[in-house]
Structure formats: structure tokens, C-alpha cells
Amino acid sequence: MKVVSLKRLGDLEQELTELFPKVEFVFTNGMNEITKSERATLDILIGYDGKLDERFLAECPKLKWIAWYATGVNKLPLNYIHSRNILLTNGKGIHAKQMAEFITAFILDDYKKMRTSFINQQNKIYDSKLTAERVSKQTVLFLGTGTIAQRTAHVLQALDMNILGINTTGHKVNGINKTYALNEIYSILPEADIVVNTLPETDKTIHLLNIKHFTQMKNTALMINVGRGSIVKEDILIRALKDKLIRHAYLDVFEEEPLNEESELYNLTNVTITAHITGNGKENFREATTLFIKNLTHFINKDTLIENEVDVKQGY
């Protein structure tokens, strides 16, 4: 069995080769370093390379399983992977701790007016009358109730916040006070002080939000998007912000990435932009590899996977 990595994994490389002496490992810095002979003979592909496409996979006739180290799989050729019956796992849950911290930081940064304090600092203004608002009793609505929302809800419960969630069917989720089905989104938006998108990109979520949804939100609402930028067209988001349909937005993901330097989002004063960094963490590779080790052990013995298998038809 041959495993080829799309990333160099440092000390983890030796750990893998010692744990699985009968497995041949090849470690690279991306698909461009993987030779034709390696493509022709590999059984498992692990890691992450944003350029991975159908053409590359077609050169891997023995490929049985892709262990994707990221959570989102929407950029992969899922139809082709399905047609080949290639197993696919992702890094779901690995990024949740990091992203929960970012979401919490965004909320506190906004409510405690840290941006205003920084602007005052730059202008040498000492305003001791600046007064922040408490987050206690504020209602947070999560679009998507997966591991990121659940981890964040656990943190926000400690701040005495009211947590609502929207998922496909409205099924109950631990840590979230009340859940609603996706088709109820329009009616529940007015209740939210903070709207947090953590949804993956699927056929049902692309451009899910339109201008009517923003008119339903409180004009004092804060929006945080750490899911996928495709949840809303950029021009609609810009219009909602310019027309003050919502108060402020923290955006880590965008409809087109990287965000074009000509984007009007850069010029708006009620937007805080981060460059798709909320999932980045020094611990990610180790945790993704630990997950891979669990799955590989089971795969060798049972020819099946036990954790984080993706339904390629659903896209998550």
C-alpha cells in the first residue's frame, strides 16, 4: 500500500513510517512534486493542495481514498470522485477550536468597541467615557450547526448568550438552545443580534442569502461569516452594508478569493476583514494526522473508514 502526502509533515513523517512499517509513504510539497510513476501506483492521497483537480486524479488509477486535511471539500471534483467510488474524508472538527476562538474574539472586539479604541489611539484621543455593551442575553443565530457552531456555542454559553441554530431539518443540537429548519430562515432572522454563518458550500447554500434576508435582520445586527463567501453575492453584501441594513460585518471568507484589491468591501467603514485565516492553526497538521492514523488503522484491517467520511453527493 502506498500513501502519498500533498504536504511535508515534519516530525510526523517519521511517526507515520514507524507506526505503519508495511506502508510505503511518499511526502511531497504538493501535486506538482508527485511523479507520474507515483501517481500511477498510489493508493491513498493525504494532505491538502488547492490545485487538486480531476486531471490529476485521472492519473491515479489505483486511488482508493483521499484523506483531505481541510474541512471544506467544495473545490474538489466531487462528481468525479463519486464516479470512481473513491473514499473521501475531511478535517471536520479539527478547525472548530480555533474558529470558535476567532468568532468569540470578533464578537467581543465589536461589542467592547476595540476598533474605536484603536482609532482613538491612532488619533491620540483619550476618551474615558467610551462605554461598551454587554454580550450577556444577546441572541446569536448560527447558520449551520456543525462542529464549529457547537464548539462556539459551548464558549458563548459561558457568556450567558442565547444560542439559536439553523440546519437542514431543524433537528436538535447539543449546546444550542433552539434549532430551526433551513426553510424557516427568513422568519427567524429578526430575532438575532448576531448572525454567524458556518455553513459549507453546497447547491442549497450558494447565494442562500439575498437582499430580503438582510432587510429581515435588525439594523443593529452584527454578521460574522467564517463559512463560505458564496453564501451571498458580494454586490448584495456591499449593498446591505452601504444601506446600513446591518450594523457591521466581520468577514473571513469571500465569494471570490483572494479578495480583489479593487473590491468595495475594503472601502467600507462597517466591515472588518480577515484573509480566510480563522481555520489556520499550528496544531492542525498534528490533529489531522492523528485522525488519519485512526482511519488508516481501520482501513488496513477492515477496508473501511470510521471517522469524518464525506458524503460526496451532499458535499459534506
Side-chain angles (χ1 to χ4, degrees), residues 145 165-173 179-184 204 316:
T145 58
I166 286 178
N167 53 41
T168 306
T169 63
H171 58 270
K172 294 181 179 179
V173 177
T179 52
Y180 302 85
L182 188 59
N183 60 13
E184 298 178 88
K204 293 181 179 180
Y316 58 92

Side-chain angles (χ1 to χ4, degrees), residues 218-233:
K218 296 178 180 179
N219 59 14
T220 56
L222 170 67
M223 179 179 179
I224 297 173
N225 191 3
V226 295
R228 286 292 177 264
S230 58
I231 192 78
V232 57
K233 290 182 179 180

Side-chain angles (χ1 to χ4, degrees), residues 120-162:
N120 285 347
Q121 176 186 330
Q122 289 181 309
N123 292 293
K124 300 180 181 179
I125 296 171
Y126 189 85
D127 182 5
S128 62
K129 294 183 180 180
L130 185 66
T131 303
E133 188 177 352
R134 289 185 180 178
V135 298
S136 175
K137 307 303 181 185
Q138 294 290 283
T139 295
V140 181
L141 174 63
F142 283 97
L143 309 185
T145 58
T147 54
I148 296 167
Q150 290 171 40
R151 176 72 184 187
T152 310
H154 175 73
V155 176
L156 299 184
Q157 291 281 10
L159 297 173
D160 196 27
M161 302 186 79
N162 180 37

Side-chain angles (χ1 to χ4, degrees), residues 189-201:
L189 282 170
E191 294 190 26
D193 299 298
I194 303 166
V195 178
V196 183
N197 177 49
T198 64
L199 285 166
E201 183 179 294

